Amino acid sequence: MSICSQNGLKSIQDMTGDQNFGGIAARFTLDLARRWSSHDLTSIGSKWAQIEETTAWTYTNAFFEEAWEAKLAIVRRDDFEALLRDYFRGPAQKGHLAWFALRNTVFACGYRSILAKDPGVSFSEAQVKAGRLFNYALSVLTQILLPPSSLLAIQALTLMACYAEGLGNPALKHFLCSNAVHAAQNKGLHRQPEKSWGISEDEAAKRNGLWWTIYTLEKHLSMCSGRPSAIDDDNVSAYPPAGILSQSDIVPQSLFFATQHAQICSQISRNLLSARSLQLSTPELISTVNHFHQKLMKLLDEIPDDLKIGTLARPNHPTPHLIHLLYLHFSIYGSLMVVHTHFFYPWMSSRLNATGSEAAMENQIRISSSVVAEAARKIILAVRLVTTTVATPSWLAFYYPIYAHINLFIYMLKFPHLSTTAADLGLLDVCAGHFGHIDYLTSAHISISLPRETATLTSKFIKDMKARSQRPAIQSYHEYPQTHPQARADTSPQTRTVEDSTINFDEMSNDLPTISDNNDFLNLDAATWNIFSSFDMVTTNETDFRAF
């Protein structure tokens, strides 16, 4: 959302000389407002339809064999199937609301995975059909939120949050996840069980696995939205996963690295996405950025070869496994972009006080821009591996692709004369095509026009720049022998020529963002706010937003 702030809008318009971006930003803000609305859920009937036993087992088998959510350590197959058998044998579990919510969410996930493979079922039709089962679970949400918490209620809330990822409904998944965190901490899942608790090793392992799944999900959502995390790491004593248990099973390996990444994300949020990060001096900020860059690169290097995805060939993995692998890479590349944001976005770097450290700051701006662009390229290249269906999580189909597209767009406006320009234009088109397919697949239910419009704007901008000047293309950052954030720290400021950038950073406003007189954006969910959004996002008018 930072690009839709008044400072972001002004920077884009100054770079392109095109005032049309204001309309693009307004439409993008309105598109997101639609996505944040929860009114598109199908209505919950007054009576629950009874699922026949044969159908229940069909949905259950589909869940554990086809759904990506089943690969998380939320509910064990043997435990769930034992409860399901007991449910159909007698009335023991029939009045348990948490069990009602859990089984219907499992049924909804399984049914959705079946419908996703049927080309004769449209996206909206599949969403409505599976959504009925999910709405049964939502109908008892208030009751299962009330204390005391149960393990079944925590499992239900966590799985419901994962299901909501496929709905493309950010407000709902944040709400469900935050309540899962609250219930888990009430139940003490964040604490390592003591012997006096009398919990068996198997039960302790189950609690531990569930906790770290919740932790990873919450830290991921916190990072994506920029909202403060609901988990204080200083209060967590549960042992994190100690290592990879099985080299032959891809999912436990990917979850192990995902948990490590979530812990790094927590530190990044605290040090770089908080209000206090705005108070860091330029040298302190450079040091902090380099510190987290090193941690993320080290994590990437530690990922074994069988978990790495190629950008030119489709990995030979089943869809649920591929989704976990894509998450691992997209989230780490996304975090790399987040880490370098202060120095990448012109409206953020312009506020920095570079007195006495101009050369170091300009060098960091160049390096951070290169890192962000390369991470964005890797995400967009991997988008071709995504087969979007009704079951595809929104972070995979929407969040990371749009984030990468926006950042590559800004990079090209900052450095339009690089030798990578033609290839990067192609990548913008690839991402625009991805969102065009989503528009077609969902019958415009999910329609984001920004990628197509910015790709067109960038192409026009590049052509205009070439028409004005015949300057030779300068060397691309990733063509330098070293691109590590500290590798070129000794670069002399004389080596940076005026042609290196179309932006004069010194001439940009150094004022901190101020609240706009137009506060219509307040109608958006608070999770769209972050420290970079400046509280001055572009909107259309009050009537448009009140409609949502």
Side-chain angles (χ1 to χ4, degrees):
M1 293 303 295
S2 181
I3 198 174
C4 294
S5 68
Q6 294 292 346
N7 289 342
L9 176 60
K10 182 179 183 300
S11 293
I12 300 300
Q13 291 177 335
D14 287 346
M15 283 187 275
T16 62
D18 190 333
Q19 301 302 306
N20 292 328
F21 186 73
I24 296 174
R27 283 188 292 275
F28 182 54
T29 308
L30 191 57
D31 288 339
L32 291 187
R34 291 191 181 98
R35 294 190 71 250
W36 282 94
S37 170
S38 59
H39 300 307
D40 58 346
L41 296 175
T42 56
S43 59
I44 301 172
S46 58
K47 295 183 178 180
W48 298 322
Q50 178 66 36
I51 303 297
E52 297 293 334
E53 183 173 1
T54 302
T55 304
W57 283 106
T58 298
Y59 294 164
T60 298
N61 291 332
F63 171 75
F64 285 105
E65 294 169 10
E66 303 290 343
W68 66 270
E69 299 95 333
K71 308 305 176 183
L72 304 172
I74 298 175
V75 56
R76 294 181 180 178
R77 183 169 190 169
D78 54 347
D79 289 343
F80 183 85
E81 290 181 344
L83 286 172
L84 191 60
R85 281 191 292 270
D86 290 343
Y87 170 73
F88 282 110
R89 285 174 183 168
Q93 294 287 344
K94 289 191 183 297
H96 199 304
L97 293 178
W99 163 241
F100 174 86
L102 178 60
R103 73 172 184 270
N104 277 289
T105 307
V106 167
F107 295 160
C109 291
Y111 189 27
R112 187 171 64 178
S113 67
I114 293 172
L115 294 172
K117 296 188 298 182
D118 187 347
V121 179
S122 69
F123 181 96
S124 57
E125 183 183 0
Q127 185 158 301
V128 168
K129 286 183 175 180
R132 292 194 184 99
L133 294 170
F134 181 64
N135 282 334
Y136 293 158
L138 282 179
S139 69
V140 297
L141 180 60
T142 302
Q143 292 94 319
I144 65 176
L145 289 178
L146 297 175
S149 301
S150 69
L151 197 61
L152 281 176
I154 298 168
Q155 290 172 320
L157 288 168
T158 307
L159 188 58
M160 289 164 73
C162 292
Y163 179 90
E165 278 278 10
L167 288 176
N169 193 305
L172 183 60
K173 68 186 178 187
H174 279 281
F175 175 78
L176 293 169
C177 182
S178 62
N179 279 285
V181 169
H182 181 70
Q185 292 184 136
N186 282 347
K187 194 67 175 176
L189 265 63
H190 63 300
R191 304 290 300 275
Q192 185 64 26
E194 300 178 6
K195 292 183 178 179
S196 60
W197 294 9
I199 295 177
S200 66
E201 290 187 8
D202 183 68
E203 185 69 16
K206 185 189 305 182
R207 290 166 56 98
N208 186 272
L210 178 58
W211 166 254
W212 286 109
T213 295
I214 296 172
Y215 177 95
T216 302
L217 177 63
E218 199 274 344
K219 294 298 182 181
H220 161 70
L221 294 179
S222 175
M223 172 71 79
C224 289
S225 68
R227 63 162 53 176
S229 172
I231 301 173
D232 183 351
D233 287 41
D234 291 338
N235 288 327
V236 177
S237 62
Y239 296 157
I244 303 171
L245 301 178
S246 172
Q247 293 289 341
S248 61
D249 194 334
I250 290 174
V251 174
Q253 294 183 72
S254 62
L255 291 178
F256 167 73
F257 285 103
T259 301
Q260 288 191 313
H261 173 250
Q263 292 176 300
I264 298 174
C265 284
S266 181
Q267 299 170 33
I268 292 172
S269 296
R270 184 182 303 176
N271 290 277
L272 287 175
L273 300 183
S274 62
R276 72 176 184 179
S277 68
L278 299 178
Q279 308 302 320
L280 294 176
S281 66
T282 300
E284 289 173 331
L285 191 56
I286 291 175
S287 176
T288 304
V289 166
N290 289 336
H291 169 72
F292 287 114
H293 178 96
Q294 292 282 355
K295 296 193 77 166
L296 290 169
M297 294 305 296
K298 182 175 182 292
L299 184 62
L300 272 175
D301 291 340
E302 290 175 350
I303 296 176
D305 291 340
D306 60 339
L307 292 189
K308 293 181 178 178
I309 56 173
T311 57
L312 299 179
R314 184 176 296 275
N316 186 25
H317 298 302
T319 298
H321 289 186
L322 180 58
I323 287 178
H324 286 279
L325 296 185
L326 288 171
Y327 171 78
L328 190 59
H329 289 78
F330 279 22
S331 61
I332 295 176
Y333 290 133
S335 295
L336 278 170
M337 293 192 289
V338 168
V339 163
H340 289 274
T341 297
H342 284 274
F343 291 100
F344 175 64
Y345 291 151
W347 52 94
M348 294 300 298
S349 60
S350 64
R351 70 171 182 80
L352 298 174
N353 182 2
T355 303
S357 57
E358 290 88 350
M361 190 183 83
E362 291 197 6
N363 185 57
Q364 186 62 49
I365 288 173
R366 290 169 56 88
I367 294 170
S368 290
S369 298
S370 175
V371 171
V372 169
E374 191 59 29
R377 292 183 188 113
K378 290 184 181 298
I379 290 175
I380 296 174
L381 281 169
V383 164
R384 64 180 296 276
L385 303 177
V386 179
T387 302
T388 305
T389 69
V390 69
T392 304
S394 59
W395 58 260
L396 177 56
F398 174 82
Y399 175 76
Y400 285 115
I402 196 70
Y403 188 30
H405 181 97
I406 288 173
N407 285 340
L408 191 58
F409 162 66
I410 295 170
Y411 179 77
M412 295 183 68
L413 297 187
K414 289 174 66 174
F415 307 107
H417 298 296
L418 296 178
S419 61
T420 57
T421 297
D424 288 342
L425 276 174
L427 289 178
L428 292 185
D429 286 337
V430 167
C431 205
H434 167 74
F435 282 96
H437 176 67
I438 291 177
D439 193 328
Y440 166 77
L441 181 69
T442 65
S443 300
H445 178 72
I446 301 176
S447 181
I448 304 295
S449 62
L450 181 136
R452 180 181 66 257
E453 293 176 319
T454 51
T456 301
L457 176 63
T458 308
S459 178
K460 180 179 180 298
F461 172 70
I462 297 298
K463 289 179 181 178
D464 290 345
M465 292 294 294
K466 288 182 178 180
R468 293 174 193 170
S469 174
Q470 297 300 320
R471 289 175 293 184
I474 66 171
Q475 189 176 27
S476 172
Y477 292 132
H478 73 271
E479 292 172 347
Y480 282 114
Q482 294 175 308
T483 57
H484 188 276
Q486 295 175 337
R488 298 180 63 242
D490 296 329
T491 301
S492 170
Q494 284 75 21
T495 63
R496 184 175 187 268
T497 64
V498 176
E499 287 84 8
D500 286 347
S501 174
T502 59
I503 304 172
N504 186 334
F505 295 104
D506 296 331
E507 292 180 357
M508 297 191 70
S509 172
N510 287 320
D511 295 335
L512 288 174
T514 57
I515 297 178
S516 170
D517 291 335
N518 184 352
N519 288 325
D520 294 342
F521 74 92
L522 290 173
N523 290 317
L524 288 172
D525 190 282
T528 59
W529 303 353
N530 58 53
I531 201 63
F532 304 122
S533 294
S534 307
F535 298 139
D536 59 357
M537 291 179 283
V538 178
T539 61
T540 49
N541 59 60
E542 185 173 350
T543 303
D544 288 334
F545 276 85
R546 284 182 176 173
F548 297 98

